[in-house]
């Protein structure tokens, strides 16, 4: 999940919790406040009614007329119910029902309090009307306020003032939702200010990882993100500098190898030529004794073998330097690789015969022509077959090839000594030889497989090895057909 989505989700969750808590808290406070206001209002109304009744001395006579008149003033919601009760608890006036049908009210909690000269309140169900009411009862005192002569009680339906609370709560929710939307918009802009530069850095790192080194990110401002962007740019610069230094050193090394190899090639070829001439002349020399000739030929053979080895090292180094340079050096063309390999294989005939090994090729009948640099492609198999022969003492060597629409797959399989798992990851390194004593014996320098790997990579292919010690080795090559 993206950072901006995470931020927004958390904000929405937080705000939802906050809204719910705020709703309940406000509703509670509003209800408390409105209850308090109604008690205040009803007790003031009680006082007014009480004074009117006392002033007119109407507690005994025409209270009906006065109270009905007052009651009619509160015909709009919330409707006020008015009850007049005598000190004995008898209901003598009731605005909403018939007074004579009502119970004695002496034990009602608000009446009991009012009889004591105080204002009594209670929220409970009316036994007469079976609805919840807020009752406020006040004593009606005689004109010199020394005696309670009756009780005036006013009340409102609880659901009437609850509906007002609900209206208020809905208003609060409405404003909270508006506030939430504003908050969300502000957060969205704020999170974009943070996440957009982070996304830019993320994209730049992706580009960088995919090989584009010419990436920079904008580093505006002075916050941590700007510092991160700045450090990223510095890192890329340093990396590029380091890379160009490495490339330079690599080039120096390659030039050195190429120059030295070229310098060595001419004298070595001359030495080889002269040794062969010397050998021929010695053989033809009739004066020389046979025993001496045998000795000389032995020394010449050793010199010839070492010279040959030096020449093949020089050739390998030149080939490696060439394959290590850019891919433009490939001379690709559509090639019938089966025919190419069949023409090349006779160079191994003598070695195969010496070791009594069999070499077989197995190409699928419809194997297509593939686009390769023929000379370098041939070198892959020269090196692999050379190894297969060098590191096998029995059995057969098989070259197989098949293809699908995109790739050609080649395998070179032998039943030789095999390669240890820990060596399998290293044999493609330059000068790495897995079996030192065998390499010394066979004259291997550890360049063959690095050349193979480079040629495969130049063709945008892959090479892998599977091997079991004592059983044999398979080299697998996958090359794109086009
Ligand atoms: N078919 C194989 N069977 C067993 N070991 C192998 C095989 N091919 C390569 N190796 C091991 O991998 C090492 C590296 O091979 P590589 O061809 O690079 O060098 P080399 O054969 O020793 O020398 P050269 O440069 O003459 O080819 C070899 O020394 C050998 O130990
Ligand atoms: Mg080799």
């Amino acid at each position: 999940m993206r950072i901006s989505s995470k931020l927004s989700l958390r904000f929405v969750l937080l705000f939802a919790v906050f809204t719910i808590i705020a709703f309940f808290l406000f509703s509670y406070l509003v209800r408390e406040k409105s209850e308090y206001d109604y008690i205040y209002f009803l007790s003031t109304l009680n006082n007014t009614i009480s004074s009117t009744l006392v002033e007119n001395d109407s507690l005994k006579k025409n209270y009906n007329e006065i109270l009905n008149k007052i009651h009619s003033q509160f015909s709009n919601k919330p409707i006020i119910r008015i009850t007049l009760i005598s000190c004995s608890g008898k209901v003598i006036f009731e605005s909403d029902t018939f007074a004579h049908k009502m119970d004695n009210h002496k034990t009602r909690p608000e009446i009991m309090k009012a009889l004591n000269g105080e204002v009594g309140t209670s929220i409970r169900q009316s036994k007469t009307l079976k609805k919840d009411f807020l009752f406020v009862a006040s004593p009606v005192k005689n004109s010199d306020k020394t005696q309670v002569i009756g009780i005036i009680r006013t009340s409102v339906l609880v659901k009437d003032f609850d509906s007002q609370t609900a209206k208020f709560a809905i208003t609060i929710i409405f404003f909270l939702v508006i506030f939430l939307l504003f908050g969300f918009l502000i957060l969205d802009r704020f999170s974009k200010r943070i996440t957009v530069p982070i996304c830019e850095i993320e994209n730049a790192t992706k580009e960088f990882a995919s090989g584009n080194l010419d990436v920079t990110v904008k580093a505006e401002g002075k916050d941590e993100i700007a510092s991160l962007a700045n450090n990223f740019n510095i890192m890329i610069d340093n990396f590029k500098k380091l890379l160009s230094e490495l490339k330079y050193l690599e080039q120096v090394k390659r030039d050195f190898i190429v120059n030295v190899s070229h310098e060595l090639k001419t004298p070595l070829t001359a030495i080889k030529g002269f040794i062969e001439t010397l050998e021929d002349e010695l053989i033809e020399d009739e004066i020389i004794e046979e025993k001496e000739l045998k000795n000389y030929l032995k020394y010449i053979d050793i010199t010839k073998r070492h010279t040959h080895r030096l020449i093949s090292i020089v050739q390998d180094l030149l080939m490696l330097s060439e394959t290590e340079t850019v891919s433009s050096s490939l001379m690709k063309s559509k090639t019938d690789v089966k025919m190419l390999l069949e023409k090349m294989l006779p160079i191994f005939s003598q070695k195969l015969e010496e070791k009594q090994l069999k070499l077989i090729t197995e190409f699928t009948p419809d194997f297509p022509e593939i686009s390769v640099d023929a000379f370098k492609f041939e070198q892959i198999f020269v090196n692999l077959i050379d190894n297969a022969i060098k590191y096998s003492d029995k059995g057969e060597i098989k070259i197989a090839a098949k293809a699908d629409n995109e790739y050609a797959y080649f395998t070179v399989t032998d039943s030789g000594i095999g390669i240890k798992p820990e060596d399998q990851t290293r044999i493609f390194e330059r000068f790495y030889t897995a079996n030192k004593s065998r390499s010394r014996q066979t004259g291997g320098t550890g360049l063959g497989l690095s050349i193979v790997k480079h040629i495969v990579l130049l063709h945008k292919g892959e090479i892998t090895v599977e091997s079991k010690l004592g059983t044999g080795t398979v080299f697998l090559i996958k090359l794109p057909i086009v």
Side-chain angles (χ1 to χ4, degrees):
M1 199 190 264
R2 303 199 73 81
I3 294 176
S4 57
S5 316
K6 273 191 202 167
L7 272 175
S8 307
L9 188 73
R10 271 175 211 178
F11 173 77
V12 169
L13 280 177
L14 197 74
F15 207 85
V17 171
F18 170 74
T19 310
I20 291 167
I21 294 173
F23 173 72
F24 283 112
L25 191 68
F26 273 116
S27 302
Y28 172 76
L29 291 175
V30 168
R31 198 183 184 285
E32 288 286 292
K33 171 86 170 63
S34 112
E35 192 180 311
Y36 175 83
D37 286 350
Y38 268 101
I39 291 173
Y40 181 76
F41 168 70
L42 294 178
S43 68
T44 314
L45 182 65
N46 284 353
N47 291 343
T48 314
I49 296 172
S50 168
S51 330
T52 315
L53 289 171
V54 173
E55 262 169 36
N56 295 296
D57 194 19
S58 44
L59 213 53
K60 289 176 191 130
K61 298 176 278 169
N62 53 342
Y63 51 80
N64 262 323
E65 192 187 322
I66 295 173
L67 291 177
N68 275 327
K69 201 173 162 194
I70 296 173
H71 182 247
S72 65
Q73 290 171 13
F74 297 101
S75 53
N76 290 330
K77 275 196 173 175
I79 293 166
I80 308 286
R81 184 180 157 198
I82 302 173
T83 317
L84 184 64
I85 300 144
S86 73
C87 287
S88 62
K90 188 177 176 234
V91 178
I92 49 177
F93 173 84
E94 166 57 55
S95 60
D96 287 26
T97 182
F98 301 107
H100 65 272
K101 284 189 180 170
M102 291 170 72
D103 301 343
N104 187 296
H105 272 43
K106 204 168 183 177
T107 53
R108 303 288 197 272
E110 71 279 3
I111 305 294
M112 282 162 68
K113 235 176 161 193
L115 282 170
N116 279 336
E118 295 167 40
V119 176
T121 61
S122 77
I123 294 178
R124 58 178 176 79
Q125 199 185 59
S126 157
K127 285 182 185 158
T128 317
L129 297 177
K130 307 283 180 233
K131 284 177 184 166
D132 288 339
F133 277 90
L134 163 66
F135 295 103
V136 178
S138 310
V140 180
K141 290 183 179 169
N142 59 1
S143 51
D144 52 8
K145 310 246 183 256
T146 51
Q147 199 190 344
V148 176
I149 53 172
I151 308 295
I152 182 77
R153 187 185 75 174
T154 45
S155 52
V156 282
L157 273 170
V158 167
K159 78 171 173 24
D160 279 359
F161 78 79
D162 265 357
S163 73
Q164 286 192 341
T165 311
K167 266 188 212 156
F168 193 79
I170 286 169
T171 316
I172 291 169
I173 295 245
F174 174 75
F175 280 109
L176 279 176
V177 168
I178 300 254
F179 183 52
L180 171 75
L181 285 175
F182 267 111
F184 192 77
L185 288 177
I186 292 168
L187 181 89
D188 191 52
R189 289 200 65 172
F190 176 69
S191 70
K192 272 191 186 128
R193 274 183 57 187
I194 297 176
T195 54
V196 167
I198 291 180
C199 286
E200 268 183 36
I201 298 173
E202 189 208 2
N203 288 338
T205 51
K206 260 192 215 157
E207 282 270 302
F208 183 68
S210 68
N212 178 8
L213 304 188
D214 291 321
V215 283
T216 45
V217 281
K218 273 187 265 161
E220 287 165 357
K222 286 184 177 164
D223 56 13
E224 292 89 337
I225 297 174
S227 157
L228 177 68
N230 206 23
N231 290 342
F232 177 80
N233 290 339
I234 294 173
M235 191 181 80
I236 301 282
D237 277 349
N238 286 344
F239 181 81
K240 280 202 292 207
K241 274 185 211 142
L242 208 67
L243 196 71
S244 69
E245 270 172 38
L246 273 177
K247 275 187 185 159
Y248 173 73
L249 286 177
E250 188 67 18
Q251 190 55 44
V252 170
K253 189 193 77 188
R254 205 172 291 143
D255 290 349
F256 175 76
I257 291 175
V258 172
N259 292 341
V260 170
S261 308
H262 270 296
E263 292 300 319
L264 287 174
K265 207 173 159 189
T266 322
L268 280 172
T269 320
I271 291 171
K272 188 181 166 224
F274 280 113
I275 289 173
E276 279 163 3
T277 318
L278 185 63
E279 188 181 27
D280 290 345
E281 284 186 9
L282 276 175
I283 292 169
E284 280 165 21
D285 197 331
E286 287 163 5
I287 311 163
I288 208 154
E289 272 185 39
E290 198 172 323
K291 198 179 159 202
E292 264 178 298
L293 177 68
K294 224 175 170 184
N295 260 346
Y296 289 148
L297 287 178
K298 197 174 100 191
Y299 299 142
I300 283 175
D301 189 50
I302 294 169
T303 320
K304 242 167 77 178
R305 268 198 293 123
H306 282 283
T307 315
H308 182 73
R309 181 153 177 232
L310 272 175
I311 290 173
S312 82
I313 292 176
V314 165
Q315 275 167 350
D316 278 356
L317 282 173
L318 282 172
M319 173 65 104
L320 194 62
S321 302
E322 200 195 325
T323 53
E324 277 177 349
T325 46
V326 281
S327 60
S328 57
S329 61
L330 276 185
M331 306 252 286
K332 275 191 184 178
S333 63
K334 283 261 171 205
T335 312
D336 179 349
V337 292
K338 184 171 188 252
M339 199 154 64
L340 182 79
L341 292 185
E342 269 163 8
K343 272 193 197 158
M344 173 274 284
L345 289 179
I347 62 168
F348 292 108
S349 308
Q350 195 189 342
K351 281 187 188 170
L352 287 165
E353 211 169 295
E354 277 169 17
K355 294 190 98 175
Q356 297 284 301
L357 294 168
K358 231 176 110 186
L359 188 133
I360 49 170
T361 52
E362 203 178 270
F363 275 67
T364 50
D366 53 351
F367 192 83
E369 289 198 334
I370 62 172
S371 176
V372 288
D373 180 320
F375 177 72
K376 290 199 172 78
F377 178 84
E378 196 180 84
Q379 189 68 43
I380 295 178
F381 287 87
V382 169
N383 289 7
L384 290 181
I385 297 166
D386 182 59
N387 281 350
I389 297 173
K390 242 193 315 192
Y391 302 109
S392 301
D393 299 318
K394 59 174 172 29
E396 62 179 29
I397 295 159
K398 187 164 102 183
I399 301 160
K402 60 179 182 181
D404 57 25
N405 288 338
E406 283 180 81
Y407 294 99
Y409 305 88
F410 300 92
T411 53
V412 178
T413 312
D414 66 52
S415 43
I417 58 169
I419 306 165
K420 280 188 258 166
E422 62 266 33
D423 287 326
Q424 286 173 25
T425 49
R426 302 203 54 193
I427 48 173
F428 296 101
E429 290 171 20
R430 265 182 268 173
F431 299 108
Y432 190 83
T433 51
N435 191 327
K436 304 278 178 264
S437 59
R438 183 126 185 172
S439 292
R440 217 168 294 127
Q441 200 185 316
T442 55
T445 42
L447 287 173
L449 285 180
S450 5
I451 292 172
V452 168
K453 179 151 191 181
H454 273 96
I455 297 176
V456 171
L457 290 181
L458 279 181
H459 283 86
K460 305 210 173 353
E462 287 164 26
I463 178 161
T464 46
V465 62
E466 284 166 13
S467 184
K468 203 166 168 216
L469 214 54
T471 308
T473 305
V474 188
F475 282 94
L476 302 107
I477 295 170
K478 179 179 162 191
L479 292 184
I481 287 181
V482 184

